[in-house]
Amino acid sequence: MKVYKQLLLSNQAWASELKEENEAYFQRLTAGQRPHFLWIGCSDSRVGPEQMTMSPPGGLFTHRNVANLVSADDDNLMAVVHYAVGALEVEHIILCGHYGCGGIQAALDGGTTGPIDRWLGLARAVADDHRAELDALPRNERAARLVELNVRDQLLTLARVPVVAAARAAGTLSLHGWVYDLRDGVIKPLLELEPGDATNGVRVPERVL
Amino acid sequence: MIADPSTTPHAPHHVPTEPPARAPAASGWGRDIAASVVVALVALPLCLGIALASGAPLMSGLISGIVGGLIVGTISASPLSVSGPAAGLTVIVLGAIAALPSFEAFLLAVVLSGVFQLAVWLSRTAWISEFVPSSVITGMLAAIGLILILKQLPHAIGYDGDFEGSYAFLQPDGLNTFSTVAVTLASEVLWGAAIIAGLGLAFLFWWDAARPKDGPLRFLPGPLIVVLGGVLLNALFAGVAPDLVLLPTHLVQVPVTQGLSGLVGLLRFPDFAAIANPLVWTTALTLAIVATLETLLSINAVDRLDPRHRITDKNREMLAQGTGNIVSGLIGGLPLTAVIVRSSANADAGAVSKRSAIVHGVWLLGSVALVPALLNTIPLAALAAVLLFVGYKLAKPALFVERWRQGWTQFVPFLVTVVAILLTDLLVGIVIGLAVGFVFVIARNFRTAVTVIAEGDDWLIRARRNLYFIHKPELKAALSRVPDRANVLIDLSNTNWVDLDNVEIINNFIAGSDRRGIDVSLRGDAAGTTAARIDARQTGVRYA
């Protein structure tokens, strides 16, 4: 069997199983979505957010890119954030990095070219901002630490996006920075920004990976 | 993709159980014809022996065998199974013939049992037999192999006290399976029989290993040689060593008739006037149940012997068996079932399709009608050699080792089935094996279903799979771990069945939660059937 056929067959099984459970299952989905969460994560094939949180369809509004980076100049992500916060009125944004992130490793090691190299500039900036702490670590622990520092810095960048800042000021939006540990499958919370919390002077989180 | 381990390519040293097919599936006539002769030779004394043990006319056993080949074989979809009179039914038949007013009334019960089997066919319920654990099926095969060996050893050396084809531990002659062997060995070695059986057995083992892989000789069935050899040897004894000659009591004894017309003259027909006799109906029902059971077990077992791993349509088999019993009863035959020994002899002789079973019926009919005198020169010792070899194949030590390697949940029911059948009889032994087998199957299939995760005051009680009745204690234990003033999420999203007893347990927990300051919320099942039965606030995905 051709490999991609397995996707189609599995999809048919998935659809028919859910339909067998509840004839109206998909009909219900057509009514529209009201998710509680916006999830910003990495594109890595091993870190599917629905799988690791057992979320059903309709549970997570999702944006994934290489190394879960946030930039106000990225129209792709900004469109997602505007729609999620402005129209869907999500109550929580989760920004989740993960152990063993190839993008973060490349930002440390260099050797990239073209669009990946340009994109990872955001991650290199994080590394530069925390150069002293990273250099003090043994070489093999730096990538894991940069994953955590990257989540913190991207979350702070996100908090300052005007639509996000407005919702936080209105008291309707919390931000969460998490890291997912590939080695045991467990998500470890790093830091949280409740609606009133300031974005200045947020301390560097404890190491969890 | 799920790969069936039995069909995946093996290492090069793997020796297939049959020579690789060299011709397209359309052929195979040669192998089927050869196998049919062997099966007919094995079937002949079994048909006669079972009729004798059932207290029925000898001809009724042969009629049953002929119908089992011609009628059942034609209708059945099973490639290798052979049907005919069954030792497993002898006790029932013996009792019924004695209790009913006439043999003709008994024949009516046979016809009616066939009608009941047709009802099973119409109701399409034969699939229930798929629930028989494989350890019980293999145990049954091994036990039959051992019984064949033990029961045939006396025949091989000249003691013919118990009838051919008996599976019972306690025999009509007051001895049991083991003591017969002992008695025979101690006192009654008939050297003529022993020589024929010994040479035959040696030849069969040698032929099994030395059979050429190419050329016409590869189709030559060893059992045929053994039977012919037995006849010739006995004739030779008559010339050179008269002391060794086997007398008719140690030979096949087919009723001698004058051709086909003589055969027809021996037929007996059911007495339909007995239809009002309740005993006819209870006999019919008993026969139908036991024959159906034995048939389905045999079919399951024979499918396992098929080198091509074909699976028989069980429902179609009920049509075949029902029709077979109706026809057999109508012309004076014993009730029939699919039978293991003849079927495994069939598989062993290299049959590839149901043609073999059908043609064996032709041989039975032809031989009984045309050449009974010739058949009556076959020494039982030669047939014993054939059956001993079949028995060895069914019960060889490698099978026990294989089961042992599969772990104790397969080995214990297997062994219990073997021992139970050896010490009682086929049916009682299987019932015991089934009971033990199911206990092990249920135990083996139990998997924990409840995951408990706690972080501070927040508790998740998650059903990772359906909460069946057997998960009651586990669910209770999980809920009892929740402390006062906890926030509990009960997650049933991965279930599509929560047993009603378990719903009750959850509702009891919820009913007591208020007093304990526990906050309970529920993530329901996709269908919402269980969620509707549970009295808790639901959380889940919102839709616009």
Side-chain angles (χ1 to χ4, degrees), chain B residues 370-385:
Chain B
L370 306 173
V371 289
L374 209 59
L375 290 176
N376 290 348
T377 62
I378 299 174
L380 289 178
L383 294 169

mmCIF file with all atom_site columns, all heavy atoms in Angstrom, chain B residues 370-385:
data_model
loop_
_atom_site.group_PDB
_atom_site.id
_atom_site.type_symbol
_atom_site.label_atom_id
_atom_site.label_alt_id
_atom_site.label_comp_id
_atom_site.label_asym_id
_atom_site.label_entity_id
_atom_site.label_seq_id
_atom_site.pdbx_PDB_ins_code
_atom_site.Cartn_x
_atom_site.Cartn_y
_atom_site.Cartn_z
_atom_site.occupancy
_atom_site.B_iso_or_equiv
_atom_site.pdbx_formal_charge
_atom_site.auth_seq_id
_atom_site.auth_comp_id
_atom_site.auth_asym_id
_atom_site.auth_atom_id
_atom_site.pdbx_PDB_model_num
ATOM 1   N N   . LEU B 1 370 ? -19.982 -53.203 -4.313 1.00 0.00 ? 370 LEU B N   1
ATOM 2   C CA  . LEU B 1 370 ? -19.386 -54.040 -5.362 1.00 0.00 ? 370 LEU B CA  1
ATOM 3   C C   . LEU B 1 370 ? -18.337 -55.021 -4.868 1.00 0.00 ? 370 LEU B C   1
ATOM 4   O O   . LEU B 1 370 ? -18.239 -56.131 -5.373 1.00 0.00 ? 370 LEU B O   1
ATOM 5   C CB  . LEU B 1 370 ? -18.792 -53.139 -6.456 1.00 0.00 ? 370 LEU B CB  1
ATOM 6   C CG  . LEU B 1 370 ? -19.793 -52.118 -7.033 1.00 0.00 ? 370 LEU B CG  1
ATOM 7   C CD1 . LEU B 1 370 ? -19.098 -51.161 -7.986 1.00 0.00 ? 370 LEU B CD1 1
ATOM 8   C CD2 . LEU B 1 370 ? -20.946 -52.841 -7.724 1.00 0.00 ? 370 LEU B CD2 1
ATOM 9   N N   . VAL B 1 371 ? -17.481 -54.610 -3.916 1.00 0.00 ? 371 VAL B N   1
ATOM 10  C CA  . VAL B 1 371 ? -16.363 -55.498 -3.579 1.00 0.00 ? 371 VAL B CA  1
ATOM 11  C C   . VAL B 1 371 ? -16.237 -55.773 -2.078 1.00 0.00 ? 371 VAL B C   1
ATOM 12  O O   . VAL B 1 371 ? -15.147 -55.719 -1.528 1.00 0.00 ? 371 VAL B O   1
ATOM 13  C CB  . VAL B 1 371 ? -15.027 -54.905 -4.095 1.00 0.00 ? 371 VAL B CB  1
ATOM 14  C CG1 . VAL B 1 371 ? -14.953 -54.992 -5.595 1.00 0.00 ? 371 VAL B CG1 1
ATOM 15  C CG2 . VAL B 1 371 ? -14.830 -53.475 -3.616 1.00 0.00 ? 371 VAL B CG2 1
ATOM 16  N N   . PRO B 1 372 ? -17.344 -56.038 -1.397 1.00 0.00 ? 372 PRO B N   1
ATOM 17  C CA  . PRO B 1 372 ? -17.230 -56.242 0.058  1.00 0.00 ? 372 PRO B CA  1
ATOM 18  C C   . PRO B 1 372 ? -16.258 -57.366 0.408  1.00 0.00 ? 372 PRO B C   1
ATOM 19  O O   . PRO B 1 372 ? -15.503 -57.245 1.382  1.00 0.00 ? 372 PRO B O   1
ATOM 20  C CB  . PRO B 1 372 ? -18.656 -56.580 0.489  1.00 0.00 ? 372 PRO B CB  1
ATOM 21  C CG  . PRO B 1 372 ? -19.366 -56.993 -0.754 1.00 0.00 ? 372 PRO B CG  1
ATOM 22  C CD  . PRO B 1 372 ? -18.708 -56.260 -1.876 1.00 0.00 ? 372 PRO B CD  1
ATOM 23  N N   . ALA B 1 373 ? -16.223 -58.408 -0.392 1.00 0.00 ? 373 ALA B N   1
ATOM 24  C CA  . ALA B 1 373 ? -15.364 -59.540 -0.047 1.00 0.00 ? 373 ALA B CA  1
ATOM 25  C C   . ALA B 1 373 ? -13.896 -59.134 -0.062 1.00 0.00 ? 373 ALA B C   1
ATOM 26  O O   . ALA B 1 373 ? -13.091 -59.572 0.765  1.00 0.00 ? 373 ALA B O   1
ATOM 27  C CB  . ALA B 1 373 ? -15.608 -60.693 -1.021 1.00 0.00 ? 373 ALA B CB  1
ATOM 28  N N   . LEU B 1 374 ? -13.557 -58.245 -1.025 1.00 0.00 ? 374 LEU B N   1
ATOM 29  C CA  . LEU B 1 374 ? -12.181 -57.785 -1.133 1.00 0.00 ? 374 LEU B CA  1
ATOM 30  C C   . LEU B 1 374 ? -11.806 -56.934 0.086  1.00 0.00 ? 374 LEU B C   1
ATOM 31  O O   . LEU B 1 374 ? -10.727 -57.080 0.657  1.00 0.00 ? 374 LEU B O   1
ATOM 32  C CB  . LEU B 1 374 ? -12.030 -56.964 -2.424 1.00 0.00 ? 374 LEU B CB  1
ATOM 33  C CG  . LEU B 1 374 ? -10.665 -56.977 -3.084 1.00 0.00 ? 374 LEU B CG  1
ATOM 34  C CD1 . LEU B 1 374 ? -10.262 -58.397 -3.441 1.00 0.00 ? 374 LEU B CD1 1
ATOM 35  C CD2 . LEU B 1 374 ? -10.695 -56.101 -4.331 1.00 0.00 ? 374 LEU B CD2 1
ATOM 36  N N   . LEU B 1 375 ? -12.728 -56.061 0.476  1.00 0.00 ? 375 LEU B N   1
ATOM 37  C CA  . LEU B 1 375 ? -12.466 -55.202 1.642  1.00 0.00 ? 375 LEU B CA  1
ATOM 38  C C   . LEU B 1 375 ? -12.247 -56.039 2.884  1.00 0.00 ? 375 LEU B C   1
ATOM 39  O O   . LEU B 1 375 ? -11.474 -55.671 3.769  1.00 0.00 ? 375 LEU B O   1
ATOM 40  C CB  . LEU B 1 375 ? -13.647 -54.258 1.882  1.00 0.00 ? 375 LEU B CB  1
ATOM 41  C CG  . LEU B 1 375 ? -13.842 -53.157 0.853  1.00 0.00 ? 375 LEU B CG  1
ATOM 42  C CD1 . LEU B 1 375 ? -15.100 -52.367 1.176  1.00 0.00 ? 375 LEU B CD1 1
ATOM 43  C CD2 . LEU B 1 375 ? -12.635 -52.238 0.835  1.00 0.00 ? 375 LEU B CD2 1
ATOM 44  N N   . ASN B 1 376 ? -12.944 -57.162 2.945  1.00 0.00 ? 376 ASN B N   1
ATOM 45  C CA  . ASN B 1 376 ? -12.863 -57.966 4.156  1.00 0.00 ? 376 ASN B CA  1
ATOM 46  C C   . ASN B 1 376 ? -11.547 -58.722 4.279  1.00 0.00 ? 376 ASN B C   1
ATOM 47  O O   . ASN B 1 376 ? -11.378 -59.528 5.175  1.00 0.00 ? 376 ASN B O   1
ATOM 48  C CB  . ASN B 1 376 ? -14.060 -58.927 4.215  1.00 0.00 ? 376 ASN B CB  1
ATOM 49  C CG  . ASN B 1 376 ? -15.350 -58.163 4.483  1.00 0.00 ? 376 ASN B CG  1
ATOM 50  O OD1 . ASN B 1 376 ? -15.306 -56.980 4.834  1.00 0.00 ? 376 ASN B OD1 1
ATOM 51  N ND2 . ASN B 1 376 ? -16.486 -58.820 4.318  1.00 0.00 ? 376 ASN B ND2 1
ATOM 52  N N   . THR B 1 377 ? -10.603 -58.442 3.374  1.00 0.00 ? 377 THR B N   1
ATOM 53  C CA  . THR B 1 377 ? -9.270  -59.023 3.538  1.00 0.00 ? 377 THR B CA  1
ATOM 54  C C   . THR B 1 377 ? -8.298  -58.022 4.172  1.00 0.00 ? 377 THR B C   1
ATOM 55  O O   . THR B 1 377 ? -7.146  -58.335 4.398  1.00 0.00 ? 377 THR B O   1
ATOM 56  C CB  . THR B 1 377 ? -8.687  -59.452 2.176  1.00 0.00 ? 377 THR B CB  1
ATOM 57  O OG1 . THR B 1 377 ? -8.559  -58.287 1.364  1.00 0.00 ? 377 THR B OG1 1
ATOM 58  C CG2 . THR B 1 377 ? -9.564  -60.473 1.491  1.00 0.00 ? 377 THR B CG2 1
ATOM 59  N N   . ILE B 1 378 ? -8.782  -56.798 4.451  1.00 0.00 ? 378 ILE B N   1
ATOM 60  C CA  . ILE B 1 378 ? -7.880  -55.780 5.020  1.00 0.00 ? 378 ILE B CA  1
ATOM 61  C C   . ILE B 1 378 ? -7.713  -56.013 6.521  1.00 0.00 ? 378 ILE B C   1
ATOM 62  O O   . ILE B 1 378 ? -8.691  -56.027 7.268  1.00 0.00 ? 378 ILE B O   1
ATOM 63  C CB  . ILE B 1 378 ? -8.436  -54.365 4.786  1.00 0.00 ? 378 ILE B CB  1
ATOM 64  C CG1 . ILE B 1 378 ? -8.554  -54.080 3.288  1.00 0.00 ? 378 ILE B CG1 1
ATOM 65  C CG2 . ILE B 1 378 ? -7.547  -53.318 5.465  1.00 0.00 ? 378 ILE B CG2 1
ATOM 66  C CD1 . ILE B 1 378 ? -9.227  -52.759 2.974  1.00 0.00 ? 378 ILE B CD1 1
ATOM 67  N N   . PRO B 1 379 ? -6.493  -56.203 6.974  1.00 0.00 ? 379 PRO B N   1
ATOM 68  C CA  . PRO B 1 379 ? -6.279  -56.403 8.415  1.00 0.00 ? 379 PRO B CA  1
ATOM 69  C C   . PRO B 1 379 ? -6.529  -55.109 9.179  1.00 0.00 ? 379 PRO B C   1
ATOM 70  O O   . PRO B 1 379 ? -6.108  -54.033 8.744  1.00 0.00 ? 379 PRO B O   1
ATOM 71  C CB  . PRO B 1 379 ? -4.800  -56.791 8.516  1.00 0.00 ? 379 PRO B CB  1
ATOM 72  C CG  . PRO B 1 379 ? -4.344  -57.052 7.111  1.00 0.00 ? 379 PRO B CG  1
ATOM 73  C CD  . PRO B 1 379 ? -5.250  -56.299 6.207  1.00 0.00 ? 379 PRO B CD  1
ATOM 74  N N   . LEU B 1 380 ? -7.218  -55.197 10.323 1.00 0.00 ? 380 LEU B N   1
ATOM 75  C CA  . LEU B 1 380 ? -7.402  -54.021 11.175 1.00 0.00 ? 380 LEU B CA  1
ATOM 76  C C   . LEU B 1 380 ? -6.047  -53.476 11.622 1.00 0.00 ? 380 LEU B C   1
ATOM 77  O O   . LEU B 1 380 ? -5.892  -52.280 11.873 1.00 0.00 ? 380 LEU B O   1
ATOM 78  C CB  . LEU B 1 380 ? -8.252  -54.386 12.401 1.00 0.00 ? 380 LEU B CB  1
ATOM 79  C CG  . LEU B 1 380 ? -9.733  -54.666 12.104 1.00 0.00 ? 380 LEU B CG  1
ATOM 80  C CD1 . LEU B 1 380 ? -10.458 -55.071 13.385 1.00 0.00 ? 380 LEU B CD1 1
ATOM 81  C CD2 . LEU B 1 380 ? -10.396 -53.454 11.468 1.00 0.00 ? 380 LEU B CD2 1
ATOM 82  N N   . ALA B 1 381 ? -5.045  -54.353 11.713 1.00 0.00 ? 381 ALA B N   1
ATOM 83  C CA  . ALA B 1 381 ? -3.720  -53.916 12.153 1.00 0.00 ? 381 ALA B CA  1
ATOM 84  C C   . ALA B 1 381 ? -3.118  -52.922 11.162 1.00 0.00 ? 381 ALA B C   1
ATOM 85  O O   . ALA B 1 381 ? -2.414  -51.979 11.555 1.00 0.00 ? 381 ALA B O   1
ATOM 86  C CB  . ALA B 1 381 ? -2.793  -55.111 12.317 1.00 0.00 ? 381 ALA B CB  1
ATOM 87  N N   . ALA B 1 382 ? -3.398  -53.096 9.861  1.00 0.00 ? 382 ALA B N   1
ATOM 88  C CA  . ALA B 1 382 ? -2.870  -52.160 8.870  1.00 0.00 ? 382 ALA B CA  1
ATOM 89  C C   . ALA B 1 382 ? -3.525  -50.797 9.030  1.00 0.00 ? 382 ALA B C   1
ATOM 90  O O   . ALA B 1 382 ? -2.860  -49.757 8.976  1.00 0.00 ? 382 ALA B O   1
ATOM 91  C CB  . ALA B 1 382 ? -3.107  -52.695 7.457  1.00 0.00 ? 382 ALA B CB  1
ATOM 92  N N   . LEU B 1 383 ? -4.858  -50.818 9.249  1.00 0.00 ? 383 LEU B N   1
ATOM 93  C CA  . LEU B 1 383 ? -5.548  -49.553 9.488  1.00 0.00 ? 383 LEU B CA  1
ATOM 94  C C   . LEU B 1 383 ? -5.071  -48.924 10.787 1.00 0.00 ? 383 LEU B C   1
ATOM 95  O O   . LEU B 1 383 ? -4.970  -47.703 10.908 1.00 0.00 ? 383 LEU B O   1
ATOM 96  C CB  . LEU B 1 383 ? -7.056  -49.778 9.534  1.00 0.00 ? 383 LEU B CB  1
ATOM 97  C CG  . LEU B 1 383 ? -7.643  -50.232 8.194  1.00 0.00 ? 383 LEU B CG  1
ATOM 98  C CD1 . LEU B 1 383 ? -9.069  -50.703 8.372  1.00 0.00 ? 383 LEU B CD1 1
ATOM 99  C CD2 . LEU B 1 383 ? -7.565  -49.102 7.181  1.00 0.00 ? 383 LEU B CD2 1
ATOM 100 N N   . ALA B 1 384 ? -4.763  -49.769 11.767 1.00 0.00 ? 384 ALA B N   1
ATOM 101 C CA  . ALA B 1 384 ? -4.253  -49.245 13.038 1.00 0.00 ? 384 ALA B CA  1
ATOM 102 C C   . ALA B 1 384 ? -2.952  -48.495 12.814 1.00 0.00 ? 384 ALA B C   1
ATOM 103 O O   . ALA B 1 384 ? -2.729  -47.428 13.400 1.00 0.00 ? 384 ALA B O   1
ATOM 104 C CB  . ALA B 1 384 ? -4.051  -50.384 14.039 1.00 0.00 ? 384 ALA B CB  1
ATOM 105 N N   . ALA B 1 385 ? -2.097  -49.036 11.944 1.00 0.00 ? 385 ALA B N   1
ATOM 106 C CA  . ALA B 1 385 ? -0.837  -48.347 11.660 1.00 0.00 ? 385 ALA B CA  1
ATOM 107 C C   . ALA B 1 385 ? -1.106  -46.967 11.080 1.00 0.00 ? 385 ALA B C   1
ATOM 108 O O   . ALA B 1 385 ? -0.490  -45.969 11.467 1.00 0.00 ? 385 ALA B O   1
ATOM 109 C CB  . ALA B 1 385 ? 0.012   -49.173 10.693 1.00 0.00 ? 385 ALA B CB  1
#
